[in-house]
Amino acid sequence: DVKVTQSSRYLVKRTGEKVFLECVQDMDHENMFWYRQDPGLGLRLIYFSYDVKMKEKGDIPEGYSVSREKKERFSLILESASTNQTSMYLCASSPGDTGGFTDTQYFGPGTRLTVL
Amino acid sequence: RKEVEQDPGPFNVPEGATVAFNCTYSNSASQSFFWYRQDCRKEPKLLMSVYSSGNEDGRFTAQLNRASQYISLLIRDSKLSDSATYLCVASSGGYQKVTFGTGTKLQVIP
């Protein structure tokens, strides 16, 4: 079974703090993703990575950055947390060997971040 | 207009009933489609991919209608354990073009 783990299930931070969310997958997947999920808005892609040290912006990258130094680990960084970044953050990975077509994504359990 | 639209529900159905959800997509270049299931306070998990010819997996049937730009999910003989939110996904290729719907909530009642 594919396993995607996230460093925290719940996190409470203060406005202005730097926040690190970590994600690890154990299936040697090429692609990794960070989403946020908000009521009425669904999942929105923040960033994704298709290789080590590679990253691409998703739909809502503003206020976020990412790091992928090792294939199995993808970190999401909030440089200066704001209240509008309170959300559920979901990490996902996918094999990435489908010749350009979108393949199945496997999600981690999510981190519910509250910024006060 | 949202790229992928779903009726949020909730759909409240008795055990054993048949229920169908539709999902419309606006990007005619979409080529890959999926249904994911998300239980309350859990992560989404792939339920099934949706192929042009339609596909069936046990009690679940997915259909694609390219002319009208919608996909559907049919659940037969509903079980209590089917209660969840069902997310529709459309992609026009590449990961920047993956769009999730906001989900349809299903509640199966004893």
Side-chain angles (χ1 to χ4, degrees), chain B residues 3-76:
Chain B
E3 284 196 41
V4 175
E5 291 205 62
Q6 296 182 251
D7 181 340
F11 284 61
N12 297 312
V13 302
E15 269 187 289
T18 295
V19 61
F21 311 134
N22 277 350
C23 163
T24 58
Y25 61 94
S26 60
N27 186 347
S28 59
S30 296
Q31 54 187 282
S32 302
F33 306 91
F34 306 86
W35 283 103
Y36 280 75
R37 171 195 169 125
Q38 186 172 23
D39 292 304
C40 188
R41 301 185 190 282
K42 298 280 191 179
E43 71 273 21
K45 292 184 179 178
L46 180 71
L47 179 66
M48 57 200 307
S49 303
V50 186
Y51 304 121
S52 295
S53 54
N55 46 306
E56 188 173 311
D57 183 2
R59 298 181 292 109
F60 298 84
T61 300
Q63 298 275 0
L64 168 63
N65 185 317
R66 286 194 185 274
S68 301
Q69 294 188 194
Y70 74 85
I71 66 172
S72 63
L73 178 67
L74 181 80
I75 306 175
R76 289 180 297 279

Side-chain angles (χ1 to χ4, degrees), chain B residues 58-105:
Chain B
R59 298 181 292 109
F60 298 84
T61 300
Q63 298 275 0
L64 168 63
N65 185 317
R66 286 194 185 274
S68 301
Q69 294 188 194
Y70 74 85
I71 66 172
S72 63
L73 178 67
L74 181 80
I75 306 175
R76 289 180 297 279
D77 188 22
S78 298
K79 312 288 184 195
L80 295 176
S81 57
D82 294 334
S83 298
T85 296
Y86 292 84
L87 306 176
C88 166
V89 181
S91 170
S92 57
Y95 296 97
Q96 295 105 320
K97 303 298 183 183
V98 175
T99 304
F100 282 79
T102 53
T104 296
K105 187 171 182 178

Side-chain angles (χ1 to χ4, degrees), chain A residues 6-7 11 18-23 33-36 45-48 60-68 73-79 85 88-91 111 113:
Chain A
Q6 295 183 228
S7 49
L11 208 52
K18 191 168 186 176
V19 182
F20 292 87
L21 302 181
E22 296 225 312
C23 174
F33 311 82
W34 275 107
Y35 293 89
R36 63 177 284 179
L45 183 64
I46 304 171
Y47 269 97
F48 70 96
I60 51 164
E62 297 79 18
Y64 304 95
S65 62
V66 291
S67 172
R68 194 169 181 198
R73 190 179 297 269
F74 193 35
S75 302
L76 180 70
I77 303 147
L78 287 67
E79 295 289 343
Q85 292 178 309
M88 170 68 85
Y89 289 87
L90 289 157
C91 174
T111 295
L113 172 67

